[in-house]
Amino acid sequence: MSLTLCPDVTLYDTGQALILLDTRRGRYWQTNATGAEVLRALLGGTTADQVADQLVRRQPVTRRQASDDIAALLDDLRRTGLVRS
């Protein structure tokens, strides 16, 4: 699955977080540090399963929780029209 930003979305990387600006709607969203790490990886071509494996190695989280959290993030980003697969 290849993840890309929708055409009207601009990404700003603050180093700790990502800010996504929907220029069509004039709204923005901000990730936390983990969300930024996940989204950077997904936009870079890493699969959700690979990202979950990376999180489990570095965070106190189960594989199931990491996968569920990534899926929820992707669902939110798709639902709000920020990314597409």
Side-chain angles (χ1 to χ4, degrees):
M1 166 187 74
S2 176
L3 189 73
T4 60
L5 295 175
C6 288
D8 295 324
V9 176
T10 303
L11 179 73
Y12 298 95
D13 192 335
T14 69
Q16 286 291 325
L18 295 178
I19 299 169
L20 295 100
L21 173 62
D22 183 339
T23 58
R24 187 170 54 89
R25 296 183 200 136
R27 298 185 65 191
Y28 73 93
W29 290 261
Q30 181 175 340
T31 67
N32 62 20
T34 302
E37 176 184 347
V38 168
L39 187 52
R40 281 186 200 104
L42 293 171
L43 289 170
T46 305
T47 68
D49 284 339
Q50 291 169 326
V51 175
D53 289 338
Q54 292 170 3
L55 288 177
V56 167
R57 285 192 294 272
R58 291 193 315 273
Q59 303 287 334
V61 64
T62 66
R63 178 64 163 71
R64 172 72 178 216
Q65 187 62 55
S67 294
D68 289 349
D69 289 348
I70 292 166
L73 175 64
L74 286 171
D75 287 345
D76 285 345
L77 293 171
R78 286 187 189 112
R79 181 180 42 75
T80 55
L82 297 172
V83 299
R84 60 183 174 198
S85 306

